[in-house]
Amino acid sequence: MTVISELVAALAPEKVLTDPDVTDSYARDRTFLEPGRPLAVVLAHTRDDVVAVMRWATEHRVPVVPRGAGTGLAGGATAVEGCVVLALHKMTAIRELSPADETAVVEPGVITADLDRAAREHGLMYAPDPSSYEISTIGGNLATNAGGLRCVKYGVTRDSAMGLEVVLADGRVINTGRRTVKGVTGYDLTGLFVGSEGTLGVITAATVRLRRAPSVYPATIAAEFTSLRDAASAVSAIIAAGCQPSLMEMLDRNTLKAIDDWRNIGLEDSTRAMLIAQSDAVDGPAVSERMAELCTANGAAFVAVSSSAQEAEELIGVRRMAYQAKERLGKCLVEDVCVPRSLLPDMIEKIEAIAVKYDVLITTVAHAGDGNLHPVFIFDHALTEPPPQVWAAADELFRETLRMGGTLTGEHGVGLLKRRWLALETGPVTEEIHHGIKRVFDPLGILNPGKAI
């Protein structure tokens, strides 16, 4: 019996795909990276399917690359040569939703927005809100510790993850964390697995925290600035004033131009940046008016305040179009550096200077309230990877980020794209510990090899 025949026998023929034309479509994420050729793709429907795959993979020393919806931006889910891609998007059950405990138990293939919609039927919400929330999965969000638009108030995915069901590299199953509000028994394995990019185990279910949904639709403002630094200064002023926005996003001129060319949003020639902010507090309208005043005081040329849920959604919709608009311009090297919020204006200026110095097109959006910036380097569609000047610009950007006390990735993960700079942030001792942890959970090195560390 061949190796693949054994896998088919352990599962079912319809769950194991081997046609190269089909498997190739599961080998990529949203990066430009050229993947390896998978040996097969497994469409897991249950935890037992995942257990069977990992037992088989351990026996035959075959690498396994876990995959959700393939929306990753760092190469974390790209196939490696000769691997099995373990696709989890068929595991879509919301096993439990408890309004009394404000928790849900979900499988990894559940779409982020679908969980939020299910929670809102009970007056609750799922707080993590990545821009890809309509297509990204909970499993992928957990793998990268995704953030999103609401993280300025509610935190990142780890802040909503209470417990996990995980299949280890050898097929054993463990449950981490808890269902209670408090719990400090043992090490925080839940926190360890969240953000580990599928290198330590395969998450097959998660217990997540839900929160009370706002009683009214959050009041929203959109402010236009003639200076990107002024927009960043307005962010600092809003935070300093204690407004506690539930969302605060900034878009630079290049991003706005890409959106305008695509969807004709009426961009003014003088607009260099836009700040979109929202408050879901009980006094949200008053808070939004205060944020509008602070934007004006910091140089905003125009400020719009939503007067209805529809207007608020339209303003947020501008932000959600950003990445698709950029993809129309060329291939994208997408980054997500994070700096202390007080240094956001300085980082913005540095990005602009780097773009000029290396003559590269950089479009930037930011989860401004977190100091988390997404500079996207655009290069020609015809190229298979970024040209030297783009890599040089990215290198300077990362080094400047670390000099400011920042981090290489706020929410996308290291994947493959950032491994070349990882040692600059972690240092040799931390790197040694990372590899030691990897050996404990995956002694054969078969789980998503070459990623994250």
Side-chain angles (χ1 to χ4, degrees):
M1 182 180 287
T2 67
V3 170
I4 291 298
S5 295
E6 289 183 28
L7 182 61
V8 173
L11 297 165
E14 66 272 13
K15 293 181 180 179
V16 182
L17 310 177
T18 56
D19 183 335
D21 290 335
V22 177
T23 59
D24 182 67
S25 65
Y26 288 90
R28 305 167 184 273
D29 60 7
R30 294 189 74 175
T31 66
F32 56 84
L33 292 167
E34 194 63 29
R37 290 168 297 180
L39 190 64
V41 172
V42 170
L43 305 180
H45 289 72
T46 67
R47 183 194 70 182
D48 289 346
D49 289 344
V50 178
V51 169
V53 170
M54 296 316 306
R55 287 176 177 170
W56 170 88
T58 293
E59 179 182 354
H60 295 286
R61 307 298 198 265
V62 176
V64 175
V65 177
R67 173 189 169 89
T71 62
L73 296 169
T78 54
V80 300
E81 191 71 21
C83 75
V84 164
V85 173
L86 181 53
L88 303 163
H89 64 284
K90 298 288 188 181
M91 298 181 65
T92 58
I94 298 178
R95 295 182 183 176
E96 180 184 341
L97 199 157
S98 172
D101 293 327
E102 298 184 355
T103 60
V105 181
V106 298
E107 293 184 348
V110 172
I111 298 295
T112 313
D114 288 345
L115 174 57
D116 187 49
R117 281 188 280 266
R120 287 179 188 269
E121 292 179 7
H122 301 276
L124 302 169
M125 71 176 187
Y126 180 62
D129 182 34
S131 296
S132 59
Y133 77 126
E134 287 285 4
I135 55 174
S136 64
T137 62
I138 297 296
N141 293 170
L142 290 163
T144 61
N145 193 24
L149 277 61
R150 288 195 290 250
C151 54
V152 62
K153 182 173 182 178
Y154 296 106
V156 293
T157 297
R158 185 179 284 120
D159 298 304
S160 292
M162 301 174 68
L164 303 172
E165 176 186 271
V166 182
V167 178
L168 299 178
D170 59 5
R172 289 179 296 167
V173 179
I174 63 170
N175 289 281
T176 73
R178 62 199 187 280
R179 296 172 61 96
T180 56
V181 174
K182 295 179 179 179
V184 292
T185 305
Y187 294 129
D188 181 12
L189 296 182
T190 302
L192 178 61
F193 280 109
V194 176
S196 64
E197 302 184 45
T199 62
L200 302 179
V202 182
I203 296 170
T204 51
T207 300
V208 296
R209 176 180 292 108
L210 305 177
R211 301 175 191 269
R212 285 287 154 189
S215 56
V216 296
Y217 200 87
T220 306
I221 70 164
E224 298 179 12
F225 294 84
T226 58
S227 159
L228 196 52
R229 187 177 181 91
D230 285 349
S233 297
V235 170
S236 299
I238 289 169
I239 296 296
C243 294
Q244 294 187 317
S246 54
L247 178 154
M248 189 154 57
E249 300 289 304
M250 186 166 61
L251 300 83
D252 73 350
R253 171 74 187 186
N254 288 338
T255 301
L256 293 168
K257 181 68 165 56
I259 296 171
D260 189 57
D261 289 345
W262 180 31
R263 291 296 179 89
N264 189 24
I265 60 173
L267 180 66
E268 298 289 340
D269 291 341
S270 60
T271 300
R272 309 302 302 174
M274 178 182 289
L275 182 64
I276 301 173
Q278 191 176 76
S279 172
D280 64 4
V282 175
D283 59 345
V287 174
S288 291
E289 289 290 351
R290 176 60 177 148
M291 291 193 291
E293 292 170 1
L294 290 167
C295 286
T296 300
N298 281 273
F302 173 78
V303 183
V305 181
S306 66
S307 59
S308 67
Q310 180 180 348
E311 286 186 2
E313 192 59 41
E314 288 173 354
L315 293 175
I316 299 301
V318 173
R319 168 61 180 88
R320 294 199 187 277
M321 287 189 283
Y323 186 66
Q324 295 95 316
K326 295 173 185 184
E327 284 185 311
R328 298 175 72 251
L329 301 179
K331 288 185 178 177
C332 300
L333 171 60
V334 183
E335 298 305 342
D336 70 316
V337 297
C338 197
V339 297
R341 288 187 306 204
S342 61
L343 296 178
L344 184 66
D346 297 326
M347 193 68 222
I348 288 289
E349 287 192 338
K350 187 62 181 178
I351 291 172
E352 291 186 309
I354 288 172
V356 173
K357 177 179 178 180
Y358 293 95
D359 190 26
V360 297
L361 175 60
I362 304 178
T363 65
T364 302
V365 299
H367 304 309
D370 306 316
N372 186 190
L373 302 106
H374 295 309
V376 178
F377 300 77
I378 311 292
F379 59 99
D380 197 307
H381 275 300
L383 299 177
T384 57
E385 67 171 67
Q389 67 268 27
V390 168
W391 286 123
D395 180 77
E396 183 166 338
L397 173 67
F398 287 135
R399 292 176 185 276
E400 187 65 23
T401 297
L402 296 176
R403 189 190 68 77
M404 290 185 182
T407 181
L408 298 173
T409 174
E411 57 185 1
H412 291 170
V414 173
L416 288 173
L417 283 178
K418 297 186 182 71
R419 286 186 67 218
R420 67 177 71 186
W421 294 282
L422 191 60
L424 295 176
E425 180 171 343
T426 60
V429 176
T430 299
E431 189 173 1
E432 181 182 346
I433 291 172
H434 280 165
H435 285 278
I437 293 170
K438 171 72 168 173
R439 286 192 295 272
V440 168
F441 286 94
D442 181 20
L444 300 178
I446 62 174
L447 272 171
N448 213 9
K451 314 288 181 61
I453 63 171

